[in-house]
Amino acid sequence: MQDSERNYRYPAEHYTSRRVIELENEKLWPKVWLIAARTEEVRNPGDFVTFDIAGESILIVRTTQGEVKAYYNVCQHRGRRLKDGSGNTGDSIHCAFHGWRYSINDGSLIKVVYEEEWQTDPGYCRSDIKLPQLRIDFWAGWIWVSMDPDIQPLAQYLAPVPRFLDKFELQETRFAWYKTIVIPCNWKVVLDAFNEGYHVTATHSQLMRFGELPYGSKGFGRHAYFYNWEAPAAAAAVSGEPGTTKPTVIGLMDGNASFDLRKILAEAEHEREETLKALGSVHTVNAAQRLLTEVPKEAGPMEVLAAFRRFHREEAEAAGVKWPTSLSEDDIRTAGIDWHIFPNTIALPSIDGALWYRSRPNGDDPASCIFDIWWIQRFAPGKEPPLRRDFYSNPDQFKGQNFFLEQDVNNLIAVQRGARSRGYKSGRTNPRQELAVRNFHRVLDVYLYGDGPDEATLRPDHIIEPER
Ligand code: FES
Ligand SMILES: [Fe+2]
């Protein structure tokens, strides 16, 4: 880590200024890959969904040939927005203003009302008029788009994230639930809050009875993650080889004879399902319950963890859920807890699926954002729930929906209030646990203010990690 990175401070103004929103609209959003939607949202020909970002609206459509395309959602006649929300548009996109019609397959203009009158316009040639397309690609079941025609391929942009998460086969998952909340805070406040585990001790203090979890964190170019196993030691820790790092929860048990990991897991799983409703399932709840009756109290922690995994798989497969084909224990541990995929999504992988967050500005108000929370889960074929998008126009409406996430949401509003204070100039980050937050703002600076040489620090081999 360079000195400038170690002392990195990010200005409070980044959360409050309209100028920064404008800068982001010009230099950030049009230059990155973004999650626009999920492939399951456009399953059938003619299905569409819109994605609004930075004053733009993007129309994602399934063509009659089964491809997915991304168009700028704007009529080429006089600029009316073509579609709102989601639905099925048949085999063409109709403009409600003067009735022009475009093909869903290539965006070509296929119908013009009173077209003969246009023949006197020397600049008019119907075959030249098309809905402009965006770059589009797919990963983990998501549809990614970019406004930059020259952007690097998605796989290259996302590196090294797929290397850590591909084995989870997240393209096999479906929305278990989908919640969107309008929050009175800057979009980056949300990213920051879910980009570290440092807040868990104070914000989710109910978890402390299950043991403390000081997290490590690490940046790889644009992206970053935090984890609670020392990744290289993970495989050895499971095999019980001496001299390896143990998971923290196990460390707590040393010299504590009353610590029963079976009970901890059973209670923690039950509570997770009650309060978060993600990162596990009925299968993990059942598996943890089975530990109490099928694993002896004297069993060592590694034995308990191995049984938990075995029972989980048995429970899932008995219900018809496909276990990821080649996901190993080492894959699970090296994947870490929580990935920041620059700029605006966070992914928490688990065997049953992933909890995924996306945040974006709400118009040009620096103190308002749209926060999507997605739990995508593995289901038995035919058991996928119908897609329902729940929308909450303010955090009060979200009350009672998810105890755990409400604890986080409370911080978001309060942080935005603090960011306006004369008594606060800049944010600082814990050098072990909050490097993902630091990396986010560092990378953002490169996009907003950087020039040529900084580009190298966006490559995945530019590592930011705790001092040893
Ligand atoms: S603006 Fe779309 S047809 Fe006129
Ligand atoms: Fe949290």
Side-chain angles (χ1 to χ4, degrees):
M1 207 187 309
Q2 323 238 324
D3 264 3
S4 58
E5 287 170 347
R6 193 169 307 130
N7 303 323
Y8 188 82
R9 302 278 187 272
Y10 56 94
E13 194 214 357
H14 268 197
Y15 300 88
T16 56
S17 143
R18 211 165 279 264
R19 190 184 62 80
V20 173
I21 285 275
E22 283 165 13
L23 203 56
E24 290 167 352
N25 285 351
E26 182 194 334
K27 302 218 162 177
L28 173 70
W29 303 112
K31 300 286 178 195
V32 290
W33 281 102
L34 295 165
I35 289 182
R38 205 160 168 76
T39 49
E40 68 177 272
E41 294 179 84
V42 286
R43 298 170 69 73
N44 302 307
D47 283 355
F48 74 87
V49 58
T50 59
F51 167 55
D52 295 349
I53 182 81
E56 287 290 354
S57 181
I58 292 152
L59 180 59
I60 308 290
V61 193
R62 176 83 61 180
T63 69
T64 57
Q65 288 105 29
E67 290 176 281
V68 181
K69 299 246 168 143
Y71 299 108
Y72 284 97
N73 185 12
V74 55
C75 182
Q76 302 297 301
H77 175 220
R78 286 195 17 227
R80 190 193 197 281
R81 173 161 304 182
L82 289 165
K83 292 284 178 194
D84 289 304
S86 59
N88 188 290
T89 185
D91 59 7
S92 63
I93 301 157
H94 176 245
C95 180
F97 199 172
H98 311 91
W100 284 25
R101 207 174 266 283
Y102 302 88
S103 156
I104 57 169
N105 292 335
D106 61 0
S108 57
L109 181 59
I110 52 179
K111 185 185 166 205
V112 172
V113 176
Y114 294 120
E115 190 174 26
E116 61 284 2
E117 296 171 359
W118 285 85
Q119 304 314 323
T120 57
D121 173 354
Y124 176 84
C125 171
R126 173 146 65 89
S127 59
D128 285 350
I129 302 175
K130 272 185 166 43
L131 296 180
Q133 293 187 36
L134 290 86
R135 287 280 295 277
I136 185 165
D137 208 339
F138 308 88
W139 177 68
W142 299 108
I143 301 167
W144 301 73
V145 297
S146 179
M147 298 178 228
D148 181 357
D150 302 318
I151 195 165
Q152 66 198 131
L154 178 65
Q156 211 179 319
Y157 175 92
L158 291 176
V161 186
R163 182 157 58 80
F164 285 81
L165 301 190
D166 270 349
K167 293 280 191 67
F168 288 83
E169 298 179 356
L170 294 170
Q171 71 280 5
E172 306 280 331
T173 64
R174 295 276 294 271
F175 284 118
W177 50 262
Y178 181 138
K179 294 179 188 295
T180 301
I181 321 172
V182 178
I183 310 233
C185 73
N186 188 274
W187 68 276
K188 298 183 290 292
V189 172
V190 174
L191 266 297
D192 295 344
F194 291 95
N195 215 348
E196 42 88 358
Y198 188 40
H199 72 277
V200 171
T201 312
T203 296
H204 310 294
S205 57
Q206 74 275 12
L207 296 186
M208 287 306 98
R209 68 186 198 280
F210 302 126
E212 281 192 57
L213 291 171
Y215 300 94
S217 53
K218 184 166 174 175
F220 303 81
R222 285 182 188 83
H223 316 297
Y225 81 146
F226 69 80
Y227 54 87
N228 70 349
W229 283 66
E230 285 297 341
V238 169
S239 67
E241 283 172 27
T244 58
T245 308
K246 295 175 188 172
T248 316
V249 67
I250 311 281
L252 276 181
M253 300 165 63
D254 290 342
N256 182 352
S258 67
F259 195 99
D260 183 343
L261 183 58
R262 304 170 316 152
K263 280 195 185 144
I264 295 277
L265 287 170
E267 192 183 332
E269 265 309 308
H270 177 75
E271 183 162 311
R272 180 203 52 69
E273 196 59 19
E274 292 278 296
T275 61
L276 180 65
K277 305 181 181 90
L279 295 177
S281 63
V282 62
H283 313 307
T284 50
V285 173
N286 293 344
Q289 278 301 318
R290 282 176 59 185
L291 295 173
L292 299 174
T293 52
E294 296 179 43
V295 175
K297 187 177 184 318
E298 303 69 42
M302 291 308 167
E303 207 182 319
V304 174
L305 289 176
F308 182 41
R309 192 81 80 218
R310 199 167 62 244
F311 295 163
H312 179 188
R313 182 166 186 163
E314 285 171 13
E315 293 288 324
E317 288 181 342
V321 177
K322 180 171 159 273
W323 195 263
T325 320
S326 63
L327 183 71
S328 70
E329 287 302 308
D330 209 35
D331 294 329
I332 294 166
R333 300 208 165 87
T334 53
I337 305 281
D338 173 298
W339 278 91
H340 175 222
I341 304 175
F342 185 84
N344 70 329
T345 82
I346 299 241
L348 289 85
S350 74
I351 300 173
D352 285 313
L355 182 58
W356 214 295
Y357 305 118
R358 178 180 68 180
S359 157
R360 60 201 146 123
N362 184 16
D364 57 4
D365 181 355
S368 179
C369 73
I370 301 168
F371 178 28
D372 299 295
I373 311 172
W374 300 308
W375 165 232
I376 50 173
Q377 191 183 330
R378 233 172 277 291
F379 292 98
K383 293 280 160 58
E384 305 89 351
L387 172 59
R388 195 186 81 203
R389 301 178 183 92
D390 296 326
F391 182 80
Y392 309 91
S393 56
N394 59 62
D396 277 345
Q397 285 188 354
F398 186 64
K399 285 212 169 87
Q401 291 297 315
N402 189 302
F403 173 82
F404 197 91
L405 293 171
E406 281 169 53
Q407 293 181 316
D408 294 300
V409 167
N410 288 337
N411 289 332
L412 307 178
I413 304 164
V415 165
Q416 186 67 29
R417 289 190 175 134
R420 288 200 306 253
S421 170
R422 279 182 187 78
Y424 178 73
K425 294 287 178 264
S426 61
R428 59 190 75 221
T429 48
N430 177 320
R432 177 177 152 80
Q433 298 205 42
E434 295 185 293
L435 290 179
V437 177
R438 181 179 307 190
N439 197 56
F440 171 37
H441 291 275
R442 176 190 75 78
V443 174
L444 191 64
D445 275 2
V446 175
Y447 274 84
L448 300 188
Y449 313 108
D451 48 25
D454 292 332
E455 297 272 318
T457 70
L458 303 183
R459 290 204 292 259
D461 58 358
H462 185 84
I463 304 288
I464 293 190
E465 59 189 335
E467 301 288 312
R468 297 275 160 192

